[in-house]
């Protein structure tokens, strides 16, 4: 499956400890079904819980033999990922 054929999960609003619960299972479900692109371009706020859920989805996708990419990661989340040393774990869509 090419990246253009991947399913897209477009997140909106805050992706924080208070909101990741509503997205967690949806992302896992899609990651089990096929290649998945996470669109973060409409995320307005993010914290370390956002990174945790992205890594959870990555693990789920890989466990099912699929890929996970992201696009539109906000600058603050990119900085946080670099600070924690996980910025290379979640590849950006080419």
């Amino acid at each position: 499956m090419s990246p253009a054929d991947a399913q897209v999960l477009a997140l909106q609003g805050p992706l924080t400890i208070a909101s990741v619960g509503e997205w967690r299972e949806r992302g896992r479900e899609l990651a089990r079904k096929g290649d998945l692109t996470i669109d973060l371009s409409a995320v307005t706020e993010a914290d370390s819980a956002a990174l945790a859920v992205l890594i959870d989805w990555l693990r789920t996708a890989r466990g099912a033999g699929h890929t996970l990419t992201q696009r539109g990661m906000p600058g603050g989340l990119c900085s946080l990922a670099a600070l924690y040393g996980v910025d290379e774990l979640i590849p950006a869509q080419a």
Side-chain angles (χ1 to χ4, degrees):
M1 183 179 280
S2 74
D5 297 328
Q7 308 166 92
V8 176
L9 177 58
L11 306 177
Q12 298 176 341
L15 188 59
T16 63
I17 189 73
S19 64
V20 294
E22 67 186 77
W23 291 106
R24 184 176 291 116
E25 194 51 44
R26 179 71 179 138
R28 285 178 181 168
E29 178 183 321
L30 291 173
R32 286 184 200 107
K33 289 182 179 180
D35 294 346
L36 178 61
T37 297
I38 307 297
D39 184 349
L40 299 161
S41 59
V43 170
T44 57
E45 179 184 357
D47 62 16
S48 59
L51 292 177
V53 78
L54 288 169
I55 292 168
D56 177 78
W57 293 338
L58 177 64
R59 187 175 327 136
T60 300
R62 286 184 177 169
H66 304 296
T67 63
L68 182 134
T69 57
Q70 60 80 20
R71 66 179 178 218
M73 186 179 284
L77 190 55
C78 286
S79 296
L80 192 59
L83 177 68
Y84 290 152
V86 298
D87 50 329
E88 294 184 17
L89 291 178
I90 305 162
Q93 185 179 41

